[in-house]
Amino acid sequence: MGEQQNMAQKVKAVFNRIFGIRLRYRMLLVYIIGGALPIIIIGLYLVHGIYNILTEQAKSAEVTELDMTRRQVEEMANTLVTVTKYFYFDPQLEEIAAKQYTDYQEMVHDYRKYDSFLNYGSYYNNTIAWMNIYLTNDTIVSNSRFTKVTEEIEEEEWYALAKKKNGGALWRFCQVPSKDNRALTLLRMLKTRRGGDVGVLAVYVRPDRFQTFLQERDCDTFVVLNGQTVVAGQEQGLYFEQVAGLLPEMEKGQVQKNVMLDKQEYVMTCENLPLVESEDYLQI
């Protein structure tokens, strides 16, 4: 009984306090509760809704733009695979690989006579930085086009794998001969019609070719080989090391997710690109 009386007294005190307020303050309180507060709540709801809509639109645009970049890179990679096939069953190249030279001038003559590197390099100049072949012919003298395989080269991971693949395509990030830079490189062991080895052909992608694909992008973008090696990139504030551990598995295809980096939230979109006739892949 005593508790009910105390409650009634508290309620009465609240009403007395409200009705004891001056009229203009009472009207202000009514305005806030009945008018301004709902408007503020609705406004916050609308702002949140608009933010979500804009965020989803930005995500969708990013997916579309990155898919276009993936298609461009895929077309470029497929072009290089096609180019390497032009060197199969080339009688001049097979002759240089097999001939036991005793005359230096004869070797120089054969080198100069072979113009396929120059011709294809000129035709695909916007994509190909350089081409050369590694030959197991002890009688040749190396230059930037024809390279004699040494013990050091035989121990290189890329050379051993190219031989093991027996004609399959291999992609690595290699030093361009006579240049100061490295580039994405397609390697392939050329074979004769009888299945014999000719040599490992190397085709190097022009580094600035990737920049034509990425230059219009206004966010951090990386082109990564086999989830480990950055072959091209456009950094806007992030480094690859910050996102390396967040890359999805190759089998997942296209992935978009929110990630936290340095206490800031980012949207990461990743396009996975399996490279034709190869076990290697690119991620953009």
Side-chain angles (χ1 to χ4, degrees), residues 140-263:
I140 68 170
V141 176
S142 296
N143 65 9
S144 60
R145 293 294 193 183
F146 300 91
T147 305
K148 180 167 61 176
V149 176
T150 61
E151 292 182 0
E152 290 78 10
I153 292 176
E154 286 184 333
E155 293 175 357
E156 292 284 349
E157 177 263 358
W158 58 264
Y159 183 80
L161 274 180
K163 286 186 63 177
K164 185 178 180 180
K165 285 184 175 293
N166 202 34
L170 177 72
W171 294 84
R172 287 296 182 267
F173 195 57
C174 299
Q175 183 73 34
V176 182
S178 303
K179 304 288 184 179
D180 294 329
N181 63 289
R182 299 167 70 83
L184 180 64
T185 308
L186 173 56
L187 301 147
R188 187 194 291 274
M189 173 62 80
L190 299 181
K191 312 290 288 187
T192 66
R193 294 185 184 277
R194 295 183 177 182
D197 292 345
V198 176
V200 174
L201 177 68
V203 181
Y204 305 84
V205 178
R206 188 176 292 280
D208 54 13
R209 181 60 172 161
F210 283 104
Q211 297 309 315
T212 62
F213 302 147
L214 306 179
Q215 63 184 357
E216 299 298 329
R217 295 184 55 75
D218 57 0
C219 59
D220 299 274
T221 309
F222 303 96
V223 181
V224 184
L225 175 63
N226 296 334
Q228 298 178 340
T229 306
V230 177
V231 298
Q234 182 165 283
E235 297 176 354
Q236 303 284 344
L238 294 178
Y239 299 99
F240 173 68
E241 290 75 14
Q242 294 174 274
V243 299
L246 303 173
L247 293 178
E249 297 294 330
M250 175 57 204
E251 295 76 13
K252 292 186 178 180
Q254 184 189 89
V255 175
Q256 187 175 70
K257 61 182 179 180
N258 294 349
V259 298
M260 294 297 296
L261 298 171
D262 295 333
K263 299 181 180 180

Side-chain angles (χ1 to χ4, degrees), residues 21-163:
I21 300 176
R22 293 182 179 181
L23 180 60
R24 61 178 181 177
Y25 293 126
R26 201 181 305 168
M27 294 295 295
L28 180 60
L29 182 62
V30 171
Y31 169 76
I32 292 174
I33 297 175
L37 189 60
I39 292 175
I40 292 173
I41 294 174
I42 293 173
L44 291 174
Y45 176 80
L46 290 175
V47 168
H48 180 70
I50 292 173
Y51 172 80
N52 287 339
I53 291 174
L54 293 177
T55 300
E56 291 304 316
Q57 287 179 344
K59 287 182 177 181
S60 178
E62 175 66 9
V63 167
T64 301
E65 184 177 331
L66 209 60
D67 180 68
M68 182 180 299
T69 302
R70 180 192 64 78
R71 292 175 185 274
Q72 291 173 324
V73 174
E74 182 177 26
E75 181 179 358
M76 179 199 70
N78 291 345
T79 297
L80 262 63
V81 169
T82 300
V83 169
T84 61
K85 294 179 179 180
Y86 296 154
F87 291 88
Y88 267 102
F89 314 134
D90 185 322
Q92 282 185 277
L93 192 57
E94 292 181 9
E95 181 182 359
I96 294 173
K99 183 184 291 187
Q100 296 300 294
Y101 289 98
T102 57
D103 185 345
Y104 178 76
Q105 293 302 322
E106 181 185 10
M107 181 195 68
V108 172
H109 175 267
D110 287 348
Y111 282 1
R112 291 177 177 175
K113 185 179 177 182
Y114 188 76
D115 57 5
S116 292
F117 288 140
L118 182 62
N119 291 340
Y120 289 123
S122 298
Y123 188 80
Y124 296 99
N125 180 60
N126 65 336
T127 300
I128 296 176
W130 196 254
M131 290 183 287
N132 71 303
I133 189 167
Y134 295 86
L135 302 172
T136 55
N137 184 341
D138 291 334
T139 66
I140 68 170
V141 176
S142 296
N143 65 9
S144 60
R145 293 294 193 183
F146 300 91
T147 305
K148 180 167 61 176
V149 176
T150 61
E151 292 182 0
E152 290 78 10
I153 292 176
E154 286 184 333
E155 293 175 357
E156 292 284 349
E157 177 263 358
W158 58 264
Y159 183 80
L161 274 180
K163 286 186 63 177

